[in-house]
């Protein structure tokens, strides 16, 4: 048995296949030597050859991805899908290092399958493995995508959702309220004299104040309420199903909770309070208009001396 035949017997495709059939395959096929970075198969091209990797390694690169989908070494095969279904190649196959491959054309492959149940069984096993690997890769990619999407919509300091998430989630809730003609209110909450906190006690104290206020607000809301850091020292709360009177009561309760739980531990100069503006849905107005009206109410609360609520 020569080195080429020995390489074929180590391949997954020829496990358990009679030696005579393997020898006949070698006699009717051609080998190809690939230099590093040489392309064996190109995405979008036609293909009627299954390639067995006898030595070296190739990488499969899916279009649009910046890293290999899979790397295949000696004993593996490539090109089987496009050969079997007669469709274009779906990915680039590139040599990672000096690589030797054996090409088996479509006619030879079907002849092998007709001649040996082991070849057919091995090929089914290879295809099943590819499908399973692709499923796992897709799940990993989906999980990674969800992870990065979550990172993109979460405020790193407070752990609350951020303005990017707010624009989408609040908008969808408002559209639902308009569609079902249900009440909905929005609170704009601002930490009073926050610049003074930073200037007097430092940004570390300011960050602590933001975190404590965020936690206090989150603890005081219903499960269906939506809370986000609007930006800087401002927070926004969406209250589905609440009319102006009920929303004002929630706003006042939150204001009192912050005053009680975010005090300065006896040092009145570092006590934290908030001002709250309340806006409620009016007709089919867009989210931007609702935010603007709640922000106007917040401005009135600050003008009234801060640490109060206005609607």
């Amino acid at each position: 048995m020569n080195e080429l035949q020995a390489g074929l017997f180590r391949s997954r495709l020829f496990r358990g296949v009679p030696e005579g059939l393997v020898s006949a395959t070698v006699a009717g096929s051609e080998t190809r030597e690939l230099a590093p970075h040489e392309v064996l198969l190109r995405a979008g091209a036609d293909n009627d050859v299954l390639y067995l990797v006898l030595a070296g390694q190739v990488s499969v690169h899916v279009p649009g991805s910046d890293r290999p989908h899979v790397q295949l070494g000696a004993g593996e095969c490539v090109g089987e899908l496009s050969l079997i279904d007669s469709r274009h190649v779906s990915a680039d196959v590139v040599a990672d290092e000096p690589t030797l491959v054996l090409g088996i054309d479509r006619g030879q492959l079907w002849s092998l399958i007709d001649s040996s149940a082991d070849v057919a069984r091995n090929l089914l096993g290879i295809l099943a493995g590819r499908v399973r690997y692709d499923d796992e890769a897709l799940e990993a990619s989906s999980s990674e995508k969800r992870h990065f999407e979550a990172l993109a919509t979460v405020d790193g300091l407070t752990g609350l959702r951020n303005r990017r998430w707010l624009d989408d989630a609040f908008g969808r809730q408002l559209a639902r309220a308009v569609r079902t003609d249900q009440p909905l209110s929005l609170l704009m909450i601002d930490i009073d004299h926050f610049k003074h906190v930073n200037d007097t006690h430092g940004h570390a104290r300011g960050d602590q104040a933001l975190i404590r206020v965020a936690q206090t607000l989150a603890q005081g809301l219903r499960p269906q309420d939506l809370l986000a850091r609007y930006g800087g020292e401002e927070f926004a709360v969406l209250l589905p199903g609440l009319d102006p009177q009920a929303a004002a009561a929630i706003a006042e309760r939150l204001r009192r909770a912050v005053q009680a739980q975010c005090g300065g531990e006896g040092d009145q100069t570092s006590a934290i309070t908030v001002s709250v503006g309340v806006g409620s849905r009016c007709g089919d107005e867009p989210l931007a208009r609702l935010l603007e009206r709640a922000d106007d109410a917040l401005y009135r609360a600050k003008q009234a001396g801060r640490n109060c609520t206005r609607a």
Side-chain angles (χ1 to χ4, degrees), residues 58-136:
V58 297
S59 289
V60 179
H61 296 265
V62 177
S65 176
D66 58 357
R67 58 186 179 184
H69 175 61
V70 66
Q71 293 177 309
L72 302 172
E76 300 289 349
C77 63
V78 291
E80 70 283 347
L81 288 177
S82 54
L83 184 153
I84 291 173
D85 65 11
S86 300
R87 298 176 66 178
H88 294 315
V89 176
S90 60
D92 292 337
V93 179
V94 183
D96 295 327
E97 57 189 59
T99 299
L100 179 67
V101 298
L102 176 78
I104 302 175
D105 65 30
R106 178 179 281 106
Q108 286 178 292
L109 180 62
W110 289 121
S111 178
L112 282 168
I113 291 173
D114 289 340
S115 302
S116 172
D118 289 320
V119 172
R121 187 180 301 110
N122 291 340
L123 184 58
L124 283 174
I126 291 169
L127 293 173
R130 296 285 162 80
V131 170
R132 186 179 298 276
Y133 177 85
D134 288 347
D135 285 345
E136 292 172 351

Side-chain angles (χ1 to χ4, degrees), residues 231-255:
E233 66 271 26
E234 282 191 292
F235 301 86
V237 178
L238 196 72
L239 303 171
L242 296 189
D243 59 22
Q245 291 74 26
I250 295 290
E252 183 62 14
R253 178 161 57 81
L254 292 175
R255 184 194 67 77

Side-chain angles (χ1 to χ4, degrees), residues 169-184 281-285:
F170 281 28
R172 285 188 282 107
Q173 286 289 337
L174 177 59
R176 179 180 301 173
V178 170
R179 186 171 62 253
T180 58
D181 194 26
Q182 294 295 312
L184 175 144
R281 181 180 76 83
C282 183
D284 58 355
E285 66 181 357

Side-chain angles (χ1 to χ4, degrees), residues 177-234:
V178 170
R179 186 171 62 253
T180 58
D181 194 26
Q182 294 295 312
L184 175 144
S185 297
L186 188 147
L187 312 181
M188 290 295 293
I189 303 171
D190 186 270
I191 299 177
D192 296 326
H193 302 296
F194 186 71
K195 184 177 184 303
H196 175 75
V197 174
N198 277 332
D199 292 345
T200 304
H201 304 285
H203 288 281
R205 180 68 68 86
D207 287 348
Q208 292 174 5
L210 285 166
I211 294 170
R212 293 176 68 184
V213 170
Q215 293 172 342
T216 302
L217 295 176
Q219 292 167 0
L221 294 172
R222 305 169 301 166
Q224 65 267 39
D225 298 332
L226 305 182
L227 169 64
R229 185 180 177 187
Y230 191 73
E233 66 271 26
E234 282 191 292

